[in-house]
């Protein structure tokens, strides 16, 4: 059995952080730099599931002095403005999952608000053998433990796994454990590289 493990944001789906920041700033009538600072300051706690969406919302609305009619559901919608779909990439992951002797997983540094959006808009994820969201497993890449947990759950050794991510630090962390690791730039490069590894 071989395992192909994908990062989610900017690999299987697009994510534009600037668009998220702009949407939140517009909704809250707040300076984009302040929004960026607030999101950066809470990123790890939110990504690890230590900060609940309602608490993030309260902090954001208070610090931005948002209009009184702005509700948390409005903020969550703006927070997901930068998330989208890549139909071709998602279809490829599902097609890989359906091949004999191939198992497919996803490891994503994300948060509860984005996970709710993903649940509604990415039914393809339910077809994969493993989907690990950082806020649900309380681990963030590049922590080695997140990769070791993925290998354990997929029941494969490091040498039988390929990890694909757009962040060099995450690729390096996986490679340090003996996992075959591929830096994603474009699907024109990544798809043949995955196929070559599977054929090897």
């Amino acid at each position: 059995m071989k395992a192909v493990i994908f990062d989610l944001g900017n690999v299987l789906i697009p994510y534009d952080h600037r668009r998220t920041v702009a949407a939140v700033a517009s909704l809250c009538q707040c300076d984009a730099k302040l929004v960026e600072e607030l999101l950066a300051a809470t990123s790890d706690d939110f990504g690890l599931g230590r900060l609940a969406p309602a608490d993030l919302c309260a902090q954001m609305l208070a610090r931005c002095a948002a209009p009184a009619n702005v509700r948390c559901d409005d903020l969550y919608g703006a927070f997901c403005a930068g998330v989208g779909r890549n139909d071709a990439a998602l279809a490829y992951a599902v097609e890989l999952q359906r091949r004999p002797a191939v198992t497919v997983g996803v490891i994503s540094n994300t948060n509860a608000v984005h996970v709710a959006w993903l649940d509604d808009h990415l039914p393809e994820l339910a077809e994969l053998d493993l989907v690990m969201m950082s806020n649900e497993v309380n681990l963030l890449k590049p922590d080695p433990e997140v990769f070791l947990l993925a290998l354990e759950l997929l029941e494969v050794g490091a040498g039988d796994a390929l990890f694909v991510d757009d962040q060099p630090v995450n690729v390096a962390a996986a490679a340090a454990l003996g996992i075959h690791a591929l830096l994603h730039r474009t699907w024109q490069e990544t798809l043949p590289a995955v196929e070559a590894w599977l054929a090897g």
Side-chain angles (χ1 to χ4, degrees):
M1 179 70 72
K2 286 189 171 184
V4 180
I5 306 170
F6 293 105
D7 173 38
L8 193 56
N10 292 324
V11 177
L12 289 183
I13 64 169
Y15 177 63
D16 185 342
H17 185 67
R18 292 171 299 180
R19 187 173 177 184
T20 289
V21 170
V24 172
S26 176
L27 175 72
C28 295
Q29 299 179 22
C30 183
D31 182 73
K33 183 178 180 181
L34 176 57
V35 171
E36 180 64 57
E37 290 172 355
L38 290 170
L39 292 178
T42 56
S43 177
D44 282 359
D45 283 343
F46 203 29
L48 287 166
R50 296 192 298 233
L51 180 65
D55 294 328
L56 176 68
C57 174
Q59 290 184 31
M60 188 71 67
L61 297 183
R63 290 287 303 278
C64 284
N69 64 338
V70 176
R71 300 290 182 257
C72 285
D73 284 346
D74 303 321
L75 183 67
Y76 301 155
F79 197 73
C80 294
V83 189
R85 284 181 53 90
N86 182 333
D87 292 343
L90 291 164
Y92 179 62
V94 171
E95 188 271 324
L96 282 179
Q97 178 65 72
R98 293 173 179 168
R99 295 186 194 182
V102 177
T103 184
V104 177
V106 165
I107 302 175
S108 181
N109 286 357
T110 187
N111 56 74
V113 173
H114 283 166
V115 167
W117 188 96
L118 296 169
D119 287 344
D120 288 341
H121 295 87
L122 267 66
E124 293 90 347
L125 294 181
E127 300 190 46
L128 308 181
D129 278 341
L130 177 66
V131 177
M132 285 178 52
M133 303 301 193
S134 62
N135 62 297
E136 296 174 348
V137 298
N138 311 120
L139 293 166
L140 284 168
K141 294 175 295 181
D143 187 334
E145 291 301 321
V146 75
F147 301 106
L148 295 174
L149 179 59
L151 295 176
E152 178 184 346
L153 293 173
L154 289 169
E155 299 181 341
V156 296
D160 291 319
L162 172 68
F163 176 64
V164 182
D165 197 294
D166 67 315
Q167 297 297 316
V169 64
N170 297 333
V171 171
L177 296 172
I179 299 169
H180 300 271
L182 176 64
L183 180 64
H184 174 79
R185 296 183 182 89
T186 69
W187 273 101
Q188 289 77 11
E189 296 177 358
T190 294
L191 194 151
V194 172
E195 292 296 327
W197 179 77
L198 287 170

